[in-house]
C-alpha cells in the first residue's frame, strides 16, 4: 500500500574503543569477592552480596512472563568491566576524552562549559559511574547525589539502613542476581524539608559486548522533601544479547515526594531479532510515610525484551502512588511490563495509566496488580490500560490482577484496544498531514496522558523517540 | 480548474470507475447523484488521493494559480495542501488530539506550503472562533478530541469547519447532508454558501434533492456504473426525486 519506510539506523549503536579492566567471565563467590574488593566495600555489603548469591543458586528463572528467549548462560557473562584509568580522575574534566566524547555523542555533555543547566547528571558506563555534575550546588542544599559505590564509602549509615529494604535480596531471580553482583548505579539522599534545587538524572550506557549491567539505584527522600529524577539508557548494536538486570529502590518518608521518570532506548536488536538488550528490571517505591507520593513515568521504547514492573507500596496513610507508562514495541521486540500497587495504609490512592503500542511482529503485554490489604480503609485505585496495534502481526495483551481485601475500597479498571487505521491516516492526509506527521499526531494523542507527566525536555525527546521508532514500522 | 478525463479506477482489483469525465470550473456548484454502488464515494476518494484506489487509465488535470498539476502523481497530503478538499461521509475519530490542534496544524501546514504567513495560537483561536459562529458551534467544541463523541450533526459541521480553515479550491462534499436534521442541514448549507466564491468549485455528492434546495447547483450529474450517464441543471434533481433512477438506467 505505501512504500516501506527504510529502517532508520539506531543512532546510539556505536561502540567506544577504550581500555578496560575486567573480571573474567562467569559467576562464583570469587567473582563476588573480587567486585567487593575492587570497590573496597565494608563487610555488610559483601555479606549482602554473598547471601544473595547463596539464595540465587537455589532458585530458578521465572517463566510466567509472556516472553521467549533462549536460556541465558550466566557463566558466559562478564560481571565487572570498567574503563581503565591511570589514576583516579578528580573531576569529570579529567576523564578519558573518549568517554567524554561518548557521552557528548549521546547528547549528555558532561564538561562544565557544556553541561545542561537545571539538571545534574550521573554518567554510568558499563559497571562504573564516571561521576556526577553540579555537585557543589547540590551539596549546598545537603543533597547527596553520587554513585552507589561512592555512597557506600561516604554514607554507609544510610545505605545500610535502606539497601534491600524495599526490594529484598530474596525478591525475585533477577533482583537476587543483582544483589549479588551489582556494580554501580545512583544514590540520592534528600534531607528533611529540602526541595531538590535541580532535576537529577542518570544516564546508563552499556558498552562492553560481553558484560551485563547490574546497576543498583537507591533514592531516599526524608520528611517533607521533593525530588524529580530522570534516567536514560542506550547501548551499542551488537549481534549478541546483553543482560541488564537492575534494581531501583525508592523510599519516601512523611510528606515526601519522588518523581521517577525513565526513557529507555536500549538497543532492541536488528530486523531479524538478532541481538539487543534483555531489560529485566525490578523497580519499587515504598511510600513509607504519611502523605508521601511516588510516581513512576516510563517510556519504554528499546530493548529486545523488557520485563519490568515499577511498583508502589503504599504503606503510609494517605500516600499516593502513580504509574504512567508508554511501552512501544516494534520489529521482534517483546515487552511484558506493568506495575503493582499495594495498598496498606488508610486513604491510599493509586493511578495507573498504561499505553502500549505494538508494531510489526512484536508482542506487548500489560501485567498489573492492584492489591488492597485489609488495613487499607478507603483505598482508591483507577487503572486505564490502552493498547494500540499498528500492524496485523503485532499482539497486545492486558493482564490486570485485582485483589481487594477491604470492603471500603474503590477500584476501577478501564481498558481499550485500538488500531492506527488506514482510515485515520487518510483522514489526516486529506487535511494536509504527511504520513510522518499524521502518525506523530495519532501517537501523541494516544500517549498524551503519559507524556504530560514528563518534564518538558524529556517529553520532547520521548515524543521524538516514539515517532522515529514508528516511522520505521508503518508499512 | 479540475479536469477528469476518462478515469478508470479500481480497488482490490475491482473496477469501480469506468471511463468517467467531468469538468469543474471556478465559481461553480456541481451535484453528483446516483444509485448506491455507482461509484460516487470512489470518485471522491480518487480525487482526494486515497492510496488504496488505483487509477488504471485516464487523467486528472488540476490547474491552480495558472499552474497545471498532474493530480495523479501527487500524494493525498500534497493535494490537500494544493487546495483539494474532501468532506468525509464518515469523519474519523482522532482520540487525544484536540480539534483546535488539528485545525491549527493543518492551517499552518497549508500556509507554509503556499508561502503565506502562519498564525500563532492566539491569532488562530480568534480566527477559528469566528468560523465556529458561522456554524453555530460553541467555542468548547474546539477543545474536544477530533470527532470523538461528536453527534452526527457535529461531525458534519466539523467537516465544514475544516473546509473553512483550509479554504480549498475544489471541495468535494461526500454525503455531507446524510444524517442531519433539518436545522443542522440549514446551518451546514448556510456554511457552504458562505464559503462558496468565484475562485472555488463545490462538488456535492448526495442522494437527496433536499440539500440542493439550499445550495443550488449549476450542474447535476448522474453517475451510474462508474460513468456519468446524464448531466442537467437543478431540475434534473427534482425529476429524480419524483421518478427515481430507473428511467435513466433502463434507457
Amino acid at each position: 500500500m505505501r512504500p516501506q519506510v527504510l529502517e532508520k539506523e539506531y543512532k546510539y549503536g556505536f561502540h567506544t574503543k577504550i581500555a578496560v579492566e575486567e573480571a573474567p567471565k562467569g559467576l562464583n563467590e570469587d567473582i563476588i569477592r573480587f567486585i567487593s574488593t575492587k570497590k573496597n566495600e565494608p563487610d555488610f555489603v559483601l555479606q549482602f552480596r554473598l547471601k544473595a548469591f547463596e539464595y540465587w543458586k537455589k532458585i530458578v528463572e521465572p517463566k510466567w512472563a509472556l516472553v521467549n528467549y533462549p536460556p541465558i548462560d550466566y557463566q558466559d557473562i562478564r560481571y565487572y568491566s570498567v574503563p581503565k584509568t591511570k589514576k583516579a580522575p578528580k573531576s569529570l574534566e579529567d576523564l578519558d576524552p573518549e568517554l567524554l566524547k561518548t557521552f557528548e555523542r549521546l547528547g549528555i555533555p558532561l564538561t562544565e562549559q557544556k553541561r545542561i543547566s537545571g539538571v545534574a547528571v550521573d554518567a554510568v558506563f558499563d559497571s562504573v559511574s564516571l561521576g556526577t555534575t553540579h555537585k557543589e550546588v547540590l551539596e549546598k542544599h545537603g543533597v547527596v547525589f553520587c554513585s552507589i559505590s561512592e555512597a557506600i564509602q561516604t554514607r554507609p549509615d544510610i545505605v545500610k539502613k535502606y539497601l534491600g529494604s524495599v526490594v529484598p535480596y530474596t525478591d525475585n531471580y533477577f533482583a537476587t542476581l543483582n544483589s549479588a553482583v551489582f556494580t554501580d548505579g545512583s544514590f540520592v539522599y534528600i534531607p528533611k524539608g529540602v526541595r531538590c534545587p535541580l532535576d537529577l538524572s542518570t544516564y546508563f550506557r552499556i558498552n562492553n559486548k560481553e558484560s551485563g549491567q547490574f546497576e543498583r539505584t537507591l533514592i531516599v527522600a526524608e520528611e517533607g522533601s521533593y525530588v524529580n529524577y530522570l534516567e536514560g539508557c542506550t547501548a551499542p548494536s551488537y549481534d549478541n544479547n546483553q543482560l541488564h538486570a537492575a534494581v531501583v529502590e525508592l523510599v519516601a518518608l512523611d510528606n515526601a515526594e519522588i518523581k521517577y521518570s525513565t526513557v529507555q532506548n536500549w538497543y532492541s536488536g536488528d530486523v531479524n531479532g538478532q541481538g539487543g538488550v534483555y531489560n529485566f528490571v525490578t523497580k519499587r517505591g515504598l511510600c513509607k510515610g504519611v502523605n508521601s507520593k511516588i510516581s513512576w513515568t516510563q517510556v519504554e521504547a528499546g530493548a529486545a525484551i523488557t520485563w519490568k514492573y515499577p511498583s508502589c507500596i503504599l504503606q503510609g496513610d494517605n500516600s499516593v502512588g502513580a504509574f504512567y507508562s508508554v511501552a512501544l514495541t516494534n520489529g521482534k521486540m517483546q515487552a511484558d511490563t506493568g506495575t503493582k500497587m499495594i495498598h496498606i495504609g488508610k486513604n491510599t490512592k493509586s493511578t495507573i495509566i498504561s499505553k502500549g503500542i505494538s508494531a510489526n511482529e512484536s508482542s506487548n503485554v500489560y501485567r498489573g496488580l492492584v492489591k488492597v490489604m485489609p488495613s487499607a480503609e478507603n483505598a482508591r485505585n483507577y487503572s486505564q490500560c490502552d493498547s494500540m496495534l499498528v500492524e496485523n502481526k503485532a499482539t497486545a495483551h492486558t493482564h490486570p490482577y485485582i485483589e481487594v481485601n477491604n470492603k471500603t475500597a474503590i477500584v476501577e479498571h478501564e481498558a481499550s484496544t485500538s488500531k492506527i487505521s488506514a482510515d485515520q491516516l487518510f483522514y489526516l492526509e486529506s487535511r494536509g498531514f504527511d504520513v510522518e506527521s499524521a502518525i506523530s499526531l495519532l501517537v501523541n494523542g494516544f500517549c498524551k496522558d503519559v507524556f504530560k507527566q514528563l518534564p518538558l525536555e524529556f517529553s520532547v525527546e520521548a515524543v521524538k523517540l516514539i515517532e522515529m521508532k514508528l516511522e520505521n514500522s508503518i508499512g | 480548474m479540475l479536469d477528469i478525463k476518462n478515469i478508470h479506477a479500481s480497488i482490490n482489483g475491482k473496477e469501480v470507475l469506468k471511463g468517467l469525465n467531468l469538468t469543474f470550473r471556478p465559481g461553480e456548484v456541481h451535484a453528483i447523484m446516483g444509485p448506491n454502488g455507482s461509484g460516487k464515494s470512489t470518485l471522491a476518494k480518487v480525487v482526494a488521493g486515497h492510496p488504496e484506489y488505483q487509477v488504471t487509465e485516464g487523467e486528472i488535470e488540476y490547474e491552480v494559480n495558472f499552474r497545471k498539476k498532474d493530480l495523479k502523481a501527487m500524494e493525498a497530503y500534497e493535494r490537500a495542501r494544493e487546495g483539494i478538499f474532501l468532506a468525509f461521509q464518515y469523519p474519523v475519530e482522532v482520540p487525544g488530539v484536540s480539534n483546535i490542534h488539528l485545525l491549527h496544524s493543518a492551517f499552518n501546514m497549508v500556509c507554509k506550503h503556499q508561502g503565506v504567513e502562519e498564525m500563532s495560537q492566539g491569532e488562530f483561536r480568534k480566527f477559528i472562533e469566528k468560523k465556529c459562529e458561522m456554524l453555530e458551534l460553541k467555542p468548547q467544541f474546539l477543545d474536544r478530541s477530533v470527532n470523538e463523541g461528536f453527534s452526527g450533526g457535529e461531525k458534519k459541521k466539523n467537516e465544514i469547519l475544516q473546509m473553512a480553515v483550509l479554504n480549498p479550491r475544489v471541495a468535494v462534499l461526500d454525503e455531507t447532508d446524510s444524517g442531519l436534521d433539518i436545522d443542522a442541514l440549514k446551518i451546514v448549507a448556510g456554511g457552504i454558501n458562505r464559503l462558496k466564491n468565484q475562485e472555488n468549485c463545490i462538488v456535492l455528492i448526495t442522494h437527496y434533492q433536499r440539500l440542493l434546495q439550499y445550495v443550488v447547483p449549476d450542474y447535476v450529474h448522474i453517475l451510474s456504473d462508474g460513468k456519468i450517464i446524464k448531466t442537467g441543471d437543478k431540475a434534473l434533481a427534482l425529476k429524480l426525486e419524483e421518478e427515481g433512477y430507473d428511467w435513466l438506467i433502463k434507457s
Side-chain angles (χ1 to χ4, degrees):
Chain A
M1 177 183 129
R2 287 166 207 279
Q4 186 81 31
V5 186
L6 283 173
E7 177 78 19
K8 283 214 180 106
E9 221 182 308
Y10 175 72
K11 70 174 180 181
Y12 307 106
F14 63 91
H15 165 78
T16 308
K17 280 206 180 93
I18 192 152
V20 292
E21 179 181 10
E22 49 188 24
K25 280 185 188 177
L27 182 54
N28 51 52
E29 206 179 301
D30 289 344
I31 291 287
I32 290 166
R33 288 182 185 278
F34 172 83
I35 294 170
S36 194
T37 309
K38 273 284 163 199
K39 295 185 162 292
N40 193 26
E41 287 174 350
D43 191 54
F44 82 90
V45 180
L46 176 64
Q47 293 312 319
F48 179 78
R49 290 178 182 282
L50 292 174
K51 269 191 292 183
F53 182 59
E54 278 310 307
Y55 186 74
W56 184 76
K57 284 192 286 189
K58 291 179 214 146
I59 55 180
V60 290
E61 248 179 82
K63 291 282 174 232
W64 45 262
L66 195 64
V67 293
N68 283 305
Y69 54 93
I72 298 171
D73 182 355
Y74 291 92
Q75 298 305 335
D76 196 39
I77 294 173
R78 209 179 288 287
Y79 292 85
Y80 186 80
S81 168
V82 303
K84 219 180 245 172
T85 41
K86 290 188 190 84
K87 52 177 187 236
K90 280 196 199 79
S91 75
L92 283 166
E93 326 280 315
D94 302 332
L95 275 179
D96 187 321
E98 272 303 311
L99 289 173
L100 289 176
K101 241 191 270 165
T102 299
F103 278 88
E104 215 155 290
R105 268 181 88 177
L106 297 170
I108 320 286
L110 298 174
T111 50
E112 191 88 53
Q113 314 90 298
K114 293 178 186 166
R115 63 175 65 153
I116 312 155
S117 64
V119 184
V121 179
D122 180 8
V124 178
F125 189 85
D126 285 335
S127 305
V128 69
S129 163
L130 301 178
T132 49
T133 64
H134 297 277
K135 275 210 146 138
E136 318 74 35
V137 190
L138 294 172
E139 270 165 19
K140 226 185 274 170
H141 290 81
V143 172
V144 184
F145 177 43
C146 62
S147 72
I148 193 120
S149 313
E150 192 180 327
I152 287 169
Q153 304 301 324
T154 57
R155 304 304 296 265
D157 50 328
I158 307 172
V159 175
K160 194 169 183 179
K161 189 167 173 190
Y162 291 107
L163 183 75
S165 70
V166 187
V167 180
Y169 71 86
T170 52
D171 194 79
N172 71 72
Y173 192 81
F174 299 109
T176 305
L177 176 64
N178 174 288
S179 302
V181 300
F182 71 91
T183 37
D184 230 334
S186 297
F187 173 84
V188 176
Y189 177 76
I190 316 288
K192 192 170 167 178
V194 171
R195 205 182 153 85
C196 188
L198 296 169
D199 288 350
L200 305 183
S201 102
T202 303
Y203 196 90
F204 293 100
R205 174 76 179 167
I206 295 178
N207 191 59
N208 194 312
K209 187 170 176 175
E210 290 151 338
S211 79
Q213 192 171 47
F214 303 93
E215 96 249 9
R216 183 132 197 147
T217 293
L218 175 62
I219 300 179
V220 179
E222 289 279 7
E223 277 171 47
S225 66
Y226 170 87
V227 63
N228 193 11
Y229 179 91
L230 325 162
E231 76 177 344
C233 335
T234 58
S237 315
Y238 290 132
D239 55 4
N240 64 337
N241 300 102
Q242 284 85 40
L243 177 62
H244 171 84
V247 170
V248 176
E249 296 178 283
L250 313 182
V251 181
L253 299 172
D254 289 357
N255 303 303
E257 179 171 2
I258 303 174
K259 284 188 171 177
Y260 192 108
S261 308
T262 306
V263 173
Q264 183 265 99
N265 186 23
W266 294 122
Y267 179 59
S268 58
D270 66 10
V271 283
N272 301 314
Q274 181 81 20
V277 171
Y278 292 163
N279 189 36
F280 299 160
V281 173
T282 306
K283 291 186 169 174
R284 196 171 302 150
L286 174 62
C287 285
K288 197 170 173 152
V290 294
N291 306 318
S292 54
K293 285 186 188 169
I294 289 180
S295 79
W296 298 101
T297 304
Q298 60 171 17
V299 175
E300 298 286 318
I305 303 177
T306 296
W307 180 98
K308 180 182 171 190
Y309 315 89
S311 305
C312 297
I313 300 172
L314 304 168
Q315 186 183 319
D317 290 349
N318 312 318
S319 59
V320 179
F323 174 74
Y324 304 99
S325 168
V326 168
L328 170 90
T329 54
N330 67 352
K332 300 215 164 147
M333 284 164 65
Q334 308 173 58
D336 194 308
T337 182
T339 184
K340 285 191 275 186
M341 293 289 170
I342 314 293
H343 293 255
I344 300 170
K346 295 188 181 70
N347 307 314
T348 46
K349 270 193 214 138
S350 63
T351 305
I352 300 172
I353 309 278
S354 161
K355 306 280 178 177
I357 306 165
S358 22
N360 307 125
E361 295 172 49
S362 65
S363 151
N364 201 323
V365 178
Y366 168 81
R367 190 184 302 277
L369 169 69
V370 176
K371 187 169 184 173
V372 178
M373 305 296 273
S375 55
E377 289 288 317
N378 300 315
R380 181 86 178 77
N381 162 265
Y382 173 74
S383 303
Q384 188 189 334
C385 302
D386 299 321
S387 310
M388 184 185 253
L389 293 168
V390 182
E391 247 163 293
N392 290 331
K393 282 185 186 166
T395 58
H397 300 263
T398 303
H399 299 288
Y401 301 86
I402 299 172
E403 231 181 286
V404 178
N405 301 305
N406 185 310
K407 279 185 190 164
T408 59
I410 302 175
V411 176
E412 269 178 272
H413 182 93
E414 284 180 27
S416 76
T417 303
S418 59
K419 243 186 122 171
I420 286 197
S421 65
D423 284 349
Q424 281 175 322
L425 286 178
F426 178 57
Y427 188 64
L428 294 174
E429 277 196 82
S430 69
R431 299 298 176 255
F433 292 83
D434 53 54
V435 183
E436 285 178 19
S437 41
I439 291 168
S440 133
L441 193 72
L442 288 167
V443 169
N444 271 312
F446 181 69
C447 302
K448 195 169 71 177
D449 295 342
V450 175
F451 286 159
K452 73 180 180 204
Q453 300 295 335
L454 289 168
L456 187 64
E457 304 95 89
F458 239 47
S459 159
V460 172
E461 278 302 304
V463 170
K464 271 198 247 158
L465 174 62
I466 297 285
E467 283 168 5
M468 193 190 78
K469 289 255 167 178
L470 271 180
E471 268 169 36
N472 303 339
S473 306
I474 306 271
Chain B
M1 125 194 285
L2 189 70
D3 242 336
I4 302 173
K5 293 179 180 163
N6 188 33
I7 274 294
H8 291 251
S10 51
I11 180 161
N12 302 328
K14 183 173 178 276
E15 193 172 65
V16 184
L17 299 183
K18 304 169 180 176
L20 182 144
N21 293 285
L22 277 172
T23 301
F24 302 136
R25 283 173 292 261
E28 293 177 347
V29 176
H30 291 250
I32 295 175
M33 304 181 79
N36 292 327
S38 56
K40 298 188 299 293
S41 288
T42 299
L43 173 63
K45 284 174 179 157
V46 165
V47 170
H50 196 296
E52 280 177 28
Y53 290 83
Q54 267 140 16
V55 175
T56 50
E57 206 183 321
E59 300 302 326
I60 310 177
E61 283 170 10
Y62 177 51
E63 192 180 321
V64 63
N65 301 331
F66 309 106
R67 282 177 298 143
K68 275 199 163 55
K69 310 248 171 194
D70 174 12
L71 220 52
K72 263 170 44 182
M74 288 157 68
E75 299 273 349
Y77 74 90
E78 295 170 308
R79 299 183 199 201
R81 292 178 189 181
E82 286 287 352
I84 304 282
F85 179 81
L86 170 62
F88 279 53
Q89 184 180 356
Y90 304 109
V92 182
E93 293 183 1
V94 190
V97 177
S98 71
N99 217 11
I100 192 164
H101 180 64
L102 184 136
L103 289 163
H104 188 203
S105 312
F107 179 81
N108 276 351
M109 273 189 295
V110 170
C111 286
K112 198 174 167 194
H113 180 77
Q114 297 178 350
V116 188
E117 205 175 321
E118 298 172 37
M119 272 192 205
S120 72
Q121 268 185 23
E123 288 169 328
F124 187 77
R125 184 107 210 171
K126 275 189 209 133
F127 166 80
I128 191 75
E129 281 182 358
K130 277 247 163 60
K131 306 276 178 193
C132 281
E133 277 170 32
M134 171 182 92
L135 292 161
E136 298 184 22
L137 289 166
K138 294 199 178 90
Q140 297 92 295
F141 179 76
L142 294 168
D143 300 311
R144 289 163 63 186
S145 287
V146 180
N147 291 322
E148 210 179 27
F150 285 18
S151 70
E154 284 173 330
K155 281 186 182 172
K156 295 300 174 81
K157 284 181 188 175
N158 196 33
E159 294 294 289
I160 302 304
L161 186 62
Q162 291 174 350
M163 176 177 161
V165 166
L166 294 171
N167 190 24
R169 294 306 170 89
V170 177
V172 181
L173 313 184
D174 191 2
E175 296 201 23
T176 297
D177 53 340
S178 69
L180 293 184
D181 62 35
I182 193 74
D183 293 332
L185 180 75
K186 277 186 192 164
I187 294 167
V188 164
I192 298 170
N193 281 327
R194 293 271 291 276
L195 295 173
K196 190 177 83 174
N197 60 39
Q198 284 312 303
E199 271 151 24
N200 63 23
C201 175
I202 312 265
V203 181
L204 307 165
I205 293 176
T206 181
H207 275 297
Y208 306 105
Q209 200 270 349
R210 207 176 54 164
L211 172 67
L212 307 181
Q213 287 176 340
Y214 300 104
V215 187
V216 181
D218 301 300
Y219 301 94
V220 175
H221 309 277
I222 312 299
L223 183 56
S224 173
D225 193 25
K227 279 183 205 155
I228 300 295
I229 54 164
K230 191 164 181 67
T231 295
D233 61 10
K234 60 183 179 181
L236 179 57
L238 277 170
K239 189 171 156 92
L240 279 176
E241 187 100 331
E242 281 162 20
E243 301 180 22
Y245 292 106
D246 281 1
W247 64 280
L248 274 170
I249 294 166
K250 276 177 191 156
S251 63

